[in-house]
Amino acid sequence: MSDEAAVLDAVAARRELIDDALVERLPIEEPERLYHASRHLIDAGGKRLRPAVTLLVAEALTGIEPPNADYHAVPTLDGADTGSVGIGASESTGTGETIDVMAAAASIEAIQSFTLIHDDIMDADDLRRGVPAVHQAYDPETAILAGDTLYAKAFEFMLEADARPERTVEALSELARTCTLICEGQSLDVAFEGRDDVTTDEYIHMVEQKTAVLYAAAARAPAVLLGADDATADALYQFGLDVGRAFQIRDDVLDLTVPSEELGKQRGSDLVEGKRTAVTLHARQQGVNVEGLIDTDDLETVDDAAIDAAVARLDDAGSIEYARTLSRDLVDRGKERLDVLPDSTARDHLRELAEYLVERGY
Amino acid sequence: MSDEAAVLDAVAARRELIDDALVERLPIEEPERLYHASRHLIDAGGKRLRPAVTLLVAEALTGIEPPNADYHAVPTLDGADTGSVGIGASESTGTGETIDVMAAAASIEAIQSFTLIHDDIMDADDLRRGVPAVHQAYDPETAILAGDTLYAKAFEFMLEADARPERTVEALSELARTCTLICEGQSLDVAFEGRDDVTTDEYIHMVEQKTAVLYAAAARAPAVLLGADDATADALYQFGLDVGRAFQIRDDVLDLTVPSEELGKQRGSDLVEGKRTAVTLHARQQGVNVEGLIDTDDLETVDDAAIDAAVARLDDAGSIEYARTLSRDLVDRGKERLDVLPDSTARDHLRELAEYLVERGY
């Protein structure tokens, strides 16, 4: 925990600011039950890794630095070209000279929260972030609607970044495409549960769509909004894809190795639910009878001893190590992509964050 | 039926084009089950009233007329200012001279379809457009995801209208706000089921949010994308609000008066489910014990005789006539709003369409 806490220092201060921005942008107003439900998972915590990526990319690109960084008025990269440099330039709004990068960060977290709420219904996961999932704390109907509300808010927030219209259009286009890909990825994930011939390539493709694209959008959006060149924006997108894939594959490992209390949900739930993961796909290739590892598909009744035995079998087959190595390689590649950014503390933090994604204990 | 068919002549030809555009924009690709589910209600039919409004407004504003109207390249209203008038101008894309208004129409219908899919889950309505609802034809998980997919596609389609960036930003802003309002309206609708002190004002407000805003967006979007002035755009928005409210209130009446086979769902379902409607709220004010009208809340077991008796009681109280009059007044006001449009066949059609919304048999 203390090692991880140290790694998280880079994002801890930003997380607080992100939390403030989310609460401010999602006030409890009528209909209150809907907004309480929309805020349920946000209020339950979360590391805010994706919006932290958004802020850190903006810092690296523009040179702004905490604690004085005003994320609501980040100077764009073309200030000199448009004559906007100078006193007062940073206070202008709607003219393109500054953007509210915190609004973009809130947009990314709203998408993350919406997908968690709907995924938990679909996957019948009853715990999330150590609290009952929204469909449990409220009801499935309210959970569907809370997710739909955050979905719309994500687009509203990205608009509120108040970038130049053509940049806003590009960011919104990316956001919409990201949502489509996430839906396709989730659909593939569900479909994989019913198949026993899923290949590693198919799995990586699914992970990219379901999880990685949101990291990619989180990294690319500030570049687009601030007016970075295409090569920079694209490299940041690829960084997000790499670390996002690494994150999910690492998640597959953590689902097996971290106690339920720390995980905030039942350990081994992927295994119980018959999900294809980097670990189980590798194990099958090693001849392990993955379906036979756990003889129940009920998260309520599965016992820890059964999960321990299954995990030991996967470990013997080298499958857990395989997944660890895969996520490690992806993170290494992702870190190299950051060479497009100016040498800066924020770039260092982004690399530490990438490192954290594969080294974290939970 | 023949009277209604005559009224619908104004939109019938456009509906075919809208259907083609939807099928083209929502091809069945991987993951196929997801896209089949996303297309399920669209393929089941529907009148396409909202996207027809979008096309008709574009026609009225620009003077284009079927059968030669190319909805994919509608000249904007500022062609003369930008020197885009002349041979070849209508073929340009991405320069702002023409927009793909059909893409905007598809966007509106995608939102409509997404909300129907999610609403049917929430309301446990098993029939829609004469076919099983998506959560019945597939499963609730797939239905959630199909709705989420259409949600993202709606934003993608609006972007594909390819209007000037500042106009696209305004249209997307409206679209996002519309989705938020629809969620709030649906949440209020659900909340009203558990209250017996809902006022008529609250009800009208809920209807505005849940239903009317999408008509408003359908009417305003083409004006924004084509570069109409604010007064015109706002009047069109108000037109949509008026006829949208009228449409929903008329729907409340039709739920009681049209046989299930024609309605495509159980007649009287609002009554069985204890929904507050313009009809039941009026009846309560007349001293009718609305809760006691139907003694089951199960759509599966309710019989038509019980519904007949309940409807007769509401009719005696003057409540059905009250709702009819309310929707009539709203439509009359909405039709007056269209004075901002040039005198045109399309404007006549919009008025006929508004008229149809209150006179239709189902």
Side-chain angles (χ1 to χ4, degrees), chain A residues 139-142 144, chain B residues 115-128 131-137 139-140 143-144 186 189-190 193 210 255 264-266 268-270 272-275 297-302:
Chain A
D139 52 71
E141 294 72 29
T142 303
I144 292 172
Chain B
T115 59
L116 290 181
I117 293 172
H118 281 190
D119 282 3
D120 284 345
I121 307 173
M122 290 185 253
D123 299 342
D125 281 336
D126 293 343
L127 272 180
R128 172 70 72 176
V131 299
V134 178
H135 64 97
Q136 286 287 329
D139 52 72
I144 291 171
Q186 170 70 5
D189 197 14
V190 172
E193 290 176 41
K210 183 180 170 180
D255 183 74
K265 60 178 183 175
Q266 173 64 52
S269 62
D270 290 346
V272 176
E273 291 168 353
K275 288 206 177 176
D297 59 0
D298 184 358
L299 282 173
E300 302 290 319
T301 59
V302 68

Side-chain angles (χ1 to χ4, degrees), chain B residues 149-177:
Chain B
T149 302
L150 289 170
Y151 205 151
K153 290 289 178 186
F155 283 87
E156 292 192 48
F157 296 167
M158 192 63 85
L159 284 153
E160 290 165 8
D162 206 20
R164 292 185 191 181
E166 62 274 22
R167 293 171 184 170
T168 299
V169 165
E170 191 176 342
L172 290 173
S173 179
E174 182 76 54
L175 198 65
R177 208 175 84 82

Side-chain angles (χ1 to χ4, degrees), chain A residues 110-274:
Chain A
I111 294 287
Q112 167 65 6
S113 197
F114 130 62
T115 60
L116 290 181
I117 294 172
H118 281 189
D119 282 4
D120 284 345
I121 308 172
M122 289 185 255
D123 298 343
D125 281 336
D126 293 342
L127 273 181
R128 171 71 71 175
R129 291 178 175 168
V131 299
V134 178
H135 65 98
Q136 286 288 328
Y138 293 81
D139 52 71
E141 294 72 29
T142 303
I144 292 172
L145 212 47
D148 289 346
T149 302
L150 290 169
Y151 204 150
K153 290 289 180 188
F155 283 87
E156 292 192 47
F157 296 167
M158 192 63 84
L159 283 153
E160 289 164 8
D162 206 20
R164 293 187 190 177
E166 61 273 23
R167 292 170 186 170
T168 300
V169 165
E170 191 175 341
L172 290 173
S173 178
E174 183 75 53
L175 198 65
R177 209 175 82 85
T178 298
C179 292
T180 298
L181 289 171
I182 290 171
C183 290
E184 291 180 358
Q186 171 70 5
S187 178
L188 287 173
D189 197 13
V190 172
F192 285 178
E193 289 176 42
R195 284 179 47 194
D196 51 14
D197 61 346
V198 178
T199 67
T200 312
D201 276 359
E202 283 180 306
Y203 179 75
I204 301 281
H205 174 67
M206 181 277 286
V207 163
E208 182 180 311
Q209 292 205 316
K210 182 181 171 179
T211 302
V213 290
L214 191 55
Y215 278 96
R220 185 174 182 267
V224 168
L225 296 171
L226 288 163
D229 59 65
D230 288 349
T232 301
D234 291 347
L236 288 164
Y237 190 84
Q238 294 301 325
F239 162 78
L241 278 191
D242 285 336
V243 301
R245 281 182 286 222
F247 177 79
Q248 181 59 50
I249 292 165
R250 178 70 183 161
D251 227 37
D252 293 347
V253 173
L254 295 176
D255 183 74
L256 298 169
T257 59
V258 176
S260 303
E261 312 82 74
E262 284 180 53
L263 206 56
K265 60 178 183 176
Q266 172 63 52
R267 181 169 69 100
S269 62
D270 291 346
L271 216 50
V272 176
E273 290 168 353

Side-chain angles (χ1 to χ4, degrees), chain B residues 64-104:
Chain B
I64 62 166
E65 271 189 81
N68 297 319
D70 179 1
Y71 295 109
H72 299 290
V74 178
T76 63
L77 299 175
D78 39 17
D81 298 335
T82 60
S84 70
V85 167
I87 292 164
S90 68
E91 289 172 17
S92 70
T93 58
T95 60
E97 283 84 0
T98 70
I99 68 151
D100 184 349
V101 81
M102 186 58 87

Side-chain angles (χ1 to χ4, degrees), chain A residues 11 17 19 30 43 64 71 189 209 221 247 253 257 280 295 306 308 327 329 341:
Chain A
V11 293
L17 297 172
D19 286 348
E30 283 292 336
D43 290 346
I64 63 167
Y71 295 109
D189 197 13
Q209 292 205 316
F247 177 79
V253 173
T257 59
T280 59
D295 60 4
D308 285 342
S327 60
D329 291 347
L341 291 176

